[in-house]
Amino acid sequence: MRLLVDIKKKLKGFRLEIAFEADQDILGILGASGSGKSMTLRCIAGIETPDEGKIILNDRVLFDSKRGINLPCQQRRVGFLFQNYALYPHMTVTKNIGFALSGLSSIRREEKVKKAISMMQLEGLENRYPVQLSGGQQQRVALARALVIEPEVLLLDEPFSALDEFLRNQMVNQLMSSLSDYNGVTLFVTHNMEEAYRLCKRILVLDHGRKEVCGERDEIFVHPSTLPAAQVTGCKNISTAKNLSDGMIEAKEWGISLWAGEERTGVAHVGIRANHLRRAEGQGSNVFEMWPVYTSEAPFRITVYLSTVQPEISSKEFRFQWEMSKDRWIELKNQPLPWKVYLDPEKLICIPK
């Protein structure tokens, strides 16, 4: 199974210009809102037409601007799970799932729909209408409808964005289970890095219509090679940087110089994830005095906003975010100031020019 995409399309405010390949490993497409993620899926499905380029699925040409080929949606063997599910409100669960199987005999269509209902654990809901279903049930119906046609490529456009946290976690697990037996190509569009990390082996990062990076999930999360890749994978501490000498760099917004390693050259930005800051007991390389400015509390974690200079009483200016468990915060908050904080060079994200 192989999907090749190489397309260009002028959009309002920017130009979508993207080329990538995907196989049976789920490819996650990460990017900020308006970066071109959904438009890329719509072009693959045939809902939108690129200005130029080609789309090839398993050696079958779906679109080729030079050859004048543009197969209609129904001939592309593409399953599409929309963000809002796009269920037909006047159709029952059974009819929604079987809608795309109109070319089959009634017996064969009934067999396939029954199998899809069982796979998605929708037994007992066959005669309900979308308005009578919960958000999670609607999503399972939409996924069943996408898979029942046995597509060669499955396109998932932010399918969990409308769900609460508990249901989202359940549906991620359900999707992982459902796709374990699917042998086609899967593209998963999201701006949620945790969903992408859980579901996808490979990640493509889009920024303003262009591919920033594409590769193995762990490599992109641990060593993002561009500024948009670092931002979209959740790095909250980023500064412009200037190379000094002997592995030293100046982090301009942080107001410090630190050792990044002798092999780090040509660094334009430096970053460190908020959960990678560590408290140090004494002096040493990459140990800096910091003061807490204020905190932000989540149910199970605390974010401490830090300054590298002693802040004025009314100041809210900070240089770093430090995320920690509430237990760790209880241990730390009464320690004498300034705290000594260690920035491990192994944890630094050094982004080249």
Side-chain angles (χ1 to χ4, degrees):
M1 293 291 178
R2 181 170 174 266
L3 172 69
L4 185 150
V5 176
D6 186 354
I7 56 173
K8 298 177 182 178
K9 184 175 178 66
K10 186 176 182 180
L11 302 171
K12 185 177 181 180
F14 69 96
R15 179 177 173 84
L16 179 66
E17 191 169 335
I18 184 171
F20 66 90
E21 294 185 20
D23 53 24
Q24 287 180 269
D25 289 335
I26 300 176
L27 177 65
I29 303 179
L30 270 174
S33 298
S35 60
K37 305 185 302 297
S38 295
M39 180 57 69
T40 299
L41 297 196
R42 294 172 69 86
C43 287
I44 295 169
I47 300 170
E48 300 281 350
T49 302
D51 297 330
E52 59 181 290
K54 58 186 177 181
I55 302 171
I56 301 173
L57 176 60
N58 297 328
D59 298 322
R60 191 163 53 91
V61 179
L62 307 185
F63 173 81
D64 191 320
S65 57
K66 291 183 177 180
R67 296 166 61 186
I69 298 174
N70 187 19
L71 294 186
C73 299
Q74 60 270 26
Q75 294 181 21
R76 294 197 177 200
R77 295 290 301 277
V78 171
F80 204 135
L81 179 55
F82 294 90
Q83 185 174 352
N84 62 358
Y85 312 143
L87 298 177
Y88 296 106
H90 62 288
M91 292 186 181
T92 63
V93 168
T94 295
K95 290 184 177 178
N96 259 291
I97 296 173
F99 178 78
L101 301 174
S102 56
L104 299 180
S105 68
S106 58
I107 295 176
R108 181 60 178 148
R109 184 166 62 249
E110 183 178 346
E111 289 176 350
K112 291 177 72 67
V113 170
K114 187 175 181 180
K115 182 179 178 181
I117 286 173
S118 176
M119 180 178 65
M120 290 295 152
Q121 301 175 13
L122 292 166
E123 293 94 339
L125 304 177
E126 292 89 342
N127 296 317
R128 292 192 185 182
Y129 292 88
V131 71
Q132 298 172 306
L133 303 175
S134 68
Q137 290 167 342
Q138 290 181 31
Q139 191 207 53
R140 280 184 279 157
V141 174
L143 182 56
R145 184 181 61 185
L147 289 173
V148 76
I149 63 171
E150 299 179 3
E152 293 179 25
V153 60
L154 179 63
L155 309 177
L156 307 173
D157 190 5
E158 301 198 43
F160 309 122
S161 60
L163 305 179
D164 61 59
E165 192 65 29
F166 177 75
L167 189 54
R168 177 184 300 219
N169 184 64
Q170 286 188 319
M171 292 312 301
V172 169
N173 292 335
Q174 173 69 58
L175 183 60
M176 291 172 68
S177 175
S178 300
L179 295 181
S180 61
D181 295 325
Y182 175 63
N183 295 319
V185 176
T186 302
L187 303 186
F188 177 70
V189 157
T190 183
H191 60 266
N192 186 303
M193 63 172 182
E194 293 186 7
E195 291 175 1
Y197 193 89
R198 288 182 63 185
L199 283 167
C200 308
K201 291 185 178 180
R202 299 179 67 246
I203 300 290
L204 184 154
V205 176
L206 265 181
D207 183 59
H208 291 91
R210 294 180 179 272
K211 180 178 71 174
E212 282 290 318
V213 292
C214 184
E216 295 298 316
R217 172 195 66 191
D218 289 331
E219 180 64 22
I220 287 175
F221 272 84
V222 176
H223 302 294
S225 59
T226 70
L227 181 59
Q231 292 170 331
V232 81
T233 56
C235 185
K236 297 174 182 176
N237 300 309
I238 299 176
S239 171
T240 55
K242 176 183 177 182
N243 284 87
L244 299 175
S245 60
D246 300 325
M248 295 293 294
I249 59 173
E250 176 189 358
K252 297 181 180 180
E253 281 75 32
W254 297 347
I256 59 175
S257 295
L258 65 164
W259 190 73
E262 295 177 359
E263 74 283 0
R264 307 288 182 95
T265 59
V267 179
H269 291 86
V270 61
I272 188 166
R273 298 194 184 276
N275 62 315
H276 284 164
L277 277 66
R278 295 289 181 265
R279 182 166 178 257
E281 295 296 336
Q283 302 295 333
S285 176
N286 286 17
V287 175
F288 302 95
E289 292 184 345
M290 297 193 191
W291 287 260
V293 179
Y294 63 97
T295 61
S296 176
E297 186 175 3
F300 308 107
R301 298 185 67 79
I302 291 283
T303 300
V304 185
Y305 295 82
L306 299 168
S307 175
T308 52
V309 295
Q310 187 168 4
E312 297 180 4
I313 294 175
S314 61
S315 174
K316 292 294 183 181
E317 183 178 347
F318 65 91
R319 305 289 175 86
F320 289 93
Q321 296 182 47
W322 187 3
E323 292 180 356
M324 63 186 73
S325 68
K326 288 191 173 182
D327 289 341
R328 182 72 185 94
W329 170 241
I330 291 171
E331 296 174 0
L332 179 66
K333 66 179 181 178
N334 294 322
Q335 296 297 316
L337 297 176
W339 297 333
K340 291 183 172 60
V341 179
Y342 175 56
L343 306 185
D344 186 346
E346 294 293 328
K347 300 294 186 181
L348 293 179
I349 298 171
C350 292
I351 300 169
K353 297 178 181 178

